[in-house]
Amino acid sequence: MYPDYGDALFWDEESCCIGGCDSLYLGEDGSGKEIDLSDIEGLKEWYYDWDLESLYQKHHWTDDQWREWWTKGLELAKAVNELLPIDVDLYYFSLKDPLWEVRPEDTDNGGIFNEGELIRLLKAGIYVFNCYIMPWTEYEIGPDSMYNGNKEIEVSLKLSYSDIQSIVGMMNWAYEKKWFEFSTSETVSTELLKEHLPELYKKVYTIAHHIFCAAYPNSEHLEGYGVYEIFCPDEIVEFAAYSRADYYMK
């Protein structure tokens, strides 16, 4: 999702335009599907705000106005993403190294924002939580165990869009409060999940325990067993960083 002139807004992997403010088209050879975007309030206005303010304007928006416009677009991109099939990924442009106040004589393509880095919008689906068992457990089950060397257990879990947003909110809270910096626990990720999303924590912990017991049938009552650390899926943690207001440099 990247605005360009001529009502172009959506692009495929071959950089071909596949839609604008009203709809986008998926697929080739007549086998695709048209996605109606007309019910997404503000999408058309957001695009034309850019179209009017970009290359052909003498008085450009301030940096804060551009950032406000970009942030609004990210929320609109989330709305578009919810309309797309589960197997279709949507990317939105970043502002990692934005280029502001470009004069018309400097460029012929707008050049207002950075094209180098894209943000993948997340949707409901299967995500992987990497879990580590308690350090002493490997000694209890023997030196030849599959977990020798503190290897992780991968828990695959289906998350709803609401689940994803809850994790994003939790990670941003931790960032704003500098929670990781001030925590004295060695299991900071686990404690964060346990405190803020206890039901999700229990679900991941239970599945990790089942996986462990399946690998070691005689370990169900292993004294002191526990999940040492639960890490949230990398792509969700990365997206949480993009969603913060201070993601781009001021």
Side-chain angles (χ1 to χ4, degrees), residues 9-216:
L9 183 55
F10 296 95
W11 312 84
D12 63 15
E13 293 178 332
E14 283 73 41
S15 298
C16 295
C17 179
I18 58 172
C21 305
D22 296 318
S23 64
L24 64 90
Y25 186 81
L26 305 174
E28 300 176 352
D29 302 325
S31 61
K33 177 182 180 181
E34 185 177 13
I35 307 295
D36 182 11
L37 306 176
S38 59
D39 287 337
I40 299 181
E41 185 177 353
L43 181 61
K44 182 177 294 186
E45 291 79 5
W46 174 83
Y47 171 84
Y48 283 110
D49 281 344
W50 171 83
D51 190 52
L52 293 173
E53 186 60 33
S54 55
L55 182 60
Y56 302 110
Q57 292 296 304
K58 293 181 179 179
H59 304 290
H60 289 278
W61 285 337
T62 64
D63 284 3
D64 286 342
Q65 286 174 314
W66 275 118
R67 293 185 181 105
E68 182 180 354
W69 172 85
W70 178 87
T71 301
K72 181 179 179 181
L74 180 59
E75 294 305 311
L76 292 168
K78 293 177 183 178
V80 172
N81 194 43
E82 291 190 53
L83 300 178
L84 300 179
I86 189 67
D87 59 345
V88 174
D89 290 330
L90 179 66
Y91 291 82
Y92 183 71
F93 62 91
S94 76
L95 289 183
K96 182 177 181 181
D97 298 304
L99 198 60
W100 311 113
E101 299 182 357
V102 177
R103 297 173 301 173
E105 59 267 28
D106 291 336
T107 178
D108 61 358
N109 63 1
I112 295 165
F113 38 71
N114 158 48
E115 297 184 18
E117 184 177 351
L118 297 175
I119 303 170
R120 178 183 169 220
L121 278 292
L122 303 180
K123 53 167 64 79
I126 303 296
Y127 291 85
V128 175
F129 292 77
N130 290 320
C131 306
Y132 292 84
I133 60 173
M134 290 296 186
W136 56 80
T137 304
E138 62 184 83
Y139 299 108
E140 296 289 339
I141 60 180
D144 298 326
S145 76
M146 61 182 284
Y147 297 109
N148 207 17
N150 201 27
K151 294 181 180 179
E152 73 270 17
I153 298 174
E154 292 187 347
V155 173
S156 296
L157 194 62
K158 185 174 183 180
L159 299 178
S160 67
Y161 184 73
S162 177
D163 292 331
I164 293 170
Q165 294 307 306
S166 294
I167 296 174
V168 168
M170 177 187 73
M171 299 307 301
N172 285 341
W173 176 90
Y175 177 84
E176 292 167 5
K177 302 295 183 182
K178 298 184 178 180
W179 192 87
F180 287 98
E181 296 178 32
F182 295 120
S183 176
T184 57
S185 172
E186 294 181 351
T187 59
V188 290
S189 295
T190 304
E191 293 303 318
L192 179 65
L193 194 62
K194 188 175 182 179
E195 178 180 335
H196 287 263
L197 299 174
E199 293 303 316
L200 183 58
Y201 163 80
K202 291 176 184 177
K203 189 177 295 185
V204 175
Y205 188 102
T206 300
I207 295 174
H209 194 192
H210 286 333
I211 293 174
F212 179 82
C213 291
Y216 298 95

